[in-house]
Amino acid sequence: MRRYFLTLALMTATLAASAQNMYDAFSFSDVTYGGTARSIALGNAMTAIGGDLGSLTLNPAGSAVNSYSQFSITPNISVSSIKSKGEYGLTDETSSTHTRFNLYNTGFVLNFDNHRSSGLRNYAIGFVASSTGNYLGDIFATGRNGYTSFMGAMAAGADGFTSATLNSSDAWYGSDAPWNQILGYQSGMIATYGGRDDQYVAATEKVYSSGDIGLAGDLEQEFGRFTRGSRTDFLFNFGANFSDILYVGGNLGLVAIDYSMDQYIKEEAVNPADFGITFDDGRTTNFTSARHRYAYDAEGSGVYAKIGVILKPFAGLRFGAAIQTPTAVSIRENYQMDGYTKFSESSLNASAASPSDNEWEYRLTTPFRFNLGAAWTIGRWGFISADYERANYGSMRFNVSGDFSNRSYFDDTNADIRDFYGHSDAFRFGVEIRPTESLALRGGYAIETNPEMFENEAGYMGYYESGKKALSFGIGYSSRGSFFSDFAFRTTSLPDLYTLPYADYINDTLSPEIHSTRRLNDFTVTIGWRF
């Protein structure tokens, strides 16, 4: 089921150069809370706690919990570690580690005291920029393959399109041919054979006397996918405190998404003598290597609203709840692919690239989500807290924008989203202990279930077990004056990733599948002032 699921997404993506498959909908909709060092150390179990700029993303009522104003800034260093190993090719074990500096949270809250003993005692306004997504991650895989090739899959996908179509000057925009196949033909990766102009063989293949096509020899393959970017929420906040019992608040949230991906696959002949090629004009040569590259950039902006409450029915006990509307995101993307093929006779080398001015805009609606929290405070000595959050990713929807005429363009993709995604549940726990008035020790744990669904033979719909798991701890210092500082470390185990560099194209023969295990380590510091 896993292989079918990913193959489906891969084949959808190859119909056009741009993305817009159900995985992209999830990437842009998924939320990974950054926050302040304090909220991160507490596992972001802050729905019922408030009082910290990191809590406002979770519950806007938190701005009114304290009677003072505050400003803080939270720089962060993220370290992404990924281990990969493939099956059916690309079987070498590889690992990659990359580091990035981020600004996880910054902003201020201004608190206004009404000098009342009951009723509206104080209210707060604030502005916070907080990270809600980190796209840092690289996949790298290598290995020897004697059964399939990327170019073989490309040739199989080109059958039925004439060479005149693939090689025409307006092929990229003036035909319905997939861009992969246009690039493959124009860069020498695939060519016609057998006297027909609509059937293809790859430079890595040979045609046997029986008419069957197969790989000519062993290939050294290399695959890489490098992703960068972030999602940031800009919050305009209002909160109010009623009698130190009920706190209410609201956010107007603006979302900014910045995402880039650079992906390539390279194939090199182990023994070029195995890969003899004869062209129609009688020239002969041997395939030596080829490389295909796909670059994709996306920028998105959106808006949502969130309301929340915190209730303190009696000393020590707190409850919190918040509801966030779906986010309407407008996405603008740009993409390009290029490739080359090299032969033993260098004069026959070929290369090609798609047009570079490929911009397209569309809309995405992300899920409605809600969260609940409870906490028990123990005087000045600390507290324990727990949160629950749910989002239904099956409600994600793509929509065309502007004057794009095909209003049903995303119908199939949206159907895939409904069929293969469901809800995700997050559980977060935190504890803070204050051994002295100025020192705080913190710990947290969070787990989030995977929203991808599967169907077993009995027709029962279930969920993949692999989700996010995060363990965190931290320390905080608060001076007798206005200055405070916090540190947090968080290690997050991300869901295992299964990648198909190219689709299966030979009966009873599987193309490579890369299994990647991923971990993200965050080192976060907050410095701030109360006034």
Side-chain angles (χ1 to χ4, degrees), residues 37-43 378 380-385 429-444 472-478 485-489:
R38 184 187 184 211
S39 65
I40 290 172
L42 291 168
I378 310 167
R380 70 172 187 86
W381 299 106
F383 61 82
I384 57 174
S385 62
F429 307 93
V431 59
E432 179 175 285
I433 300 172
R434 290 187 171 272
T436 70
E437 185 177 347
S438 60
L439 184 66
L441 305 177
R442 303 173 181 124
S472 56
F473 63 86
I475 187 170
Y477 168 77
S478 181
S485 180
D486 301 295
F487 168 80
F489 169 75

Side-chain angles (χ1 to χ4, degrees), residues 250-333:
N251 289 340
L252 174 65
L254 304 181
V255 175
I257 296 172
D258 177 24
Y259 174 83
S260 65
M261 178 187 72
D262 202 313
Q263 176 178 298
Y264 77 93
I265 185 166
K266 182 178 180 181
E267 297 183 328
E268 185 173 349
V270 174
N271 182 10
D274 294 335
F275 295 84
I277 296 173
T278 301
F279 291 94
D280 291 340
D281 59 7
R283 293 177 298 172
T284 61
T285 189
N286 298 86
F287 165 79
T288 59
S289 66
R291 186 177 188 269
H292 177 283
R293 174 178 172 265
Y294 171 58
Y296 171 80
D297 296 283
E299 294 180 351
S301 59
V303 60
Y304 66 87
K306 190 166 191 172
I307 59 174
V309 299
I310 295 176
L311 178 66
K312 296 197 297 185
F314 52 84
L317 183 63
R318 298 186 183 200
F319 297 107
I323 300 174
Q324 180 175 311
T325 68
T327 305
V329 184
S330 177
I331 298 174
R332 183 176 66 255
E333 63 179 28

Side-chain angles (χ1 to χ4, degrees), residues 36 137 142 172 271 344 517:
T36 61
T142 63
W172 303 99
N271 182 10
S344 56
T517 57

Side-chain angles (χ1 to χ4, degrees), residues 10 86 116 139 152 175 182 214 216 253 277 297 343 389 411 432 435-436 452 476 490 531:
L10 183 146
R116 297 176 179 175
I139 298 172
S175 74
I182 297 172
I277 296 173
D297 296 283
F343 302 95
E389 182 170 323
D411 285 357
E432 179 175 285
T436 70
E452 298 176 32
R490 177 175 65 185
F531 53 94

Side-chain angles (χ1 to χ4, degrees), residues 127-407:
F127 172 78
V128 175
S130 189
S131 172
T132 52
N134 188 341
Y135 303 127
L136 178 66
D138 295 351
I139 298 172
F140 180 71
T142 63
R144 184 168 293 191
N145 191 337
Y147 301 98
T148 67
S149 77
F150 172 76
M151 289 178 284
M154 184 183 289
D159 285 344
F161 295 96
T162 65
S163 57
T165 297
L166 299 183
N167 203 39
S168 65
S169 58
D170 65 343
W172 303 99
Y173 296 123
S175 74
D176 59 352
W179 279 27
N180 261 341
Q181 279 63 32
I182 297 172
L183 178 74
Y185 187 81
Q186 294 187 9
S187 64
M189 296 181 186
I190 62 175
T192 56
Y193 77 99
R196 294 183 57 181
D197 67 349
D198 62 352
Q199 60 182 16
Y200 296 85
V201 64
T204 54
E205 297 178 314
K206 65 179 179 180
V207 182
Y208 294 92
S209 58
S210 63
D212 293 335
I213 299 175
L215 203 62
D218 288 347
L219 295 170
E220 289 291 349
Q221 292 181 319
E222 184 177 301
F223 175 84
R225 177 185 293 157
F226 313 109
T227 60
R228 299 289 185 273
S230 61
R231 169 178 161 148
T232 303
D233 286 15
F234 298 92
L235 308 178
F236 298 88
N237 171 267
F238 175 82
N241 168 14
F242 295 90
S243 304
D244 292 335
I245 297 175
L246 176 65
Y247 305 84
V248 298
N251 289 340
L252 174 65
L254 304 181
V255 175
I257 296 172
D258 177 24
Y259 174 83
S260 65
M261 178 187 72
D262 202 313
Q263 176 178 298
Y264 77 93
I265 185 166
K266 182 178 180 181
E267 297 183 328
E268 185 173 349
V270 174
N271 182 10
D274 294 335
F275 295 84
I277 296 173
T278 301
F279 291 94
D280 291 340
D281 59 7
R283 293 177 298 172
T284 61
T285 189
N286 298 86
F287 165 79
T288 59
S289 66
R291 186 177 188 269
H292 177 283
R293 174 178 172 265
Y294 171 58
Y296 171 80
D297 296 283
E299 294 180 351
S301 59
V303 60
Y304 66 87
K306 190 166 191 172
I307 59 174
V309 299
I310 295 176
L311 178 66
K312 296 197 297 185
F314 52 84
L317 183 63
R318 298 186 183 200
F319 297 107
I323 300 174
Q324 180 175 311
T325 68
T327 305
V329 184
S330 177
I331 298 174
R332 183 176 66 255
E333 63 179 28
N334 187 281
Y335 46 89
Q336 186 181 26
M337 58 177 61
D338 58 71
Y340 66 77
T341 309
K342 293 184 178 181
F343 302 95
S344 56
E345 177 57 53
S346 60
S347 64
L348 299 174
N349 293 350
S351 63
S354 70
S356 59
D357 55 342
N358 304 302
E359 278 200 0
W360 193 43
E361 294 188 18
Y362 54 94
R363 297 195 304 270
L364 171 68
T365 301
T366 71
F368 157 90
R369 61 179 65 239
F370 71 88
N371 48 295
L372 306 171
W376 179 259
T377 61
I378 310 167
R380 70 172 187 86
W381 299 106
F383 61 82
I384 57 174
S385 62
D387 276 20
Y388 168 73
E389 182 170 323
R390 168 171 280 205
N392 180 12
Y393 288 95
S395 65
M396 300 181 295
R397 291 292 179 272
F398 281 118
N399 290 285
V400 298
S401 62
D403 57 357
F404 188 72
S405 59
N406 186 0
R407 313 309 290 183

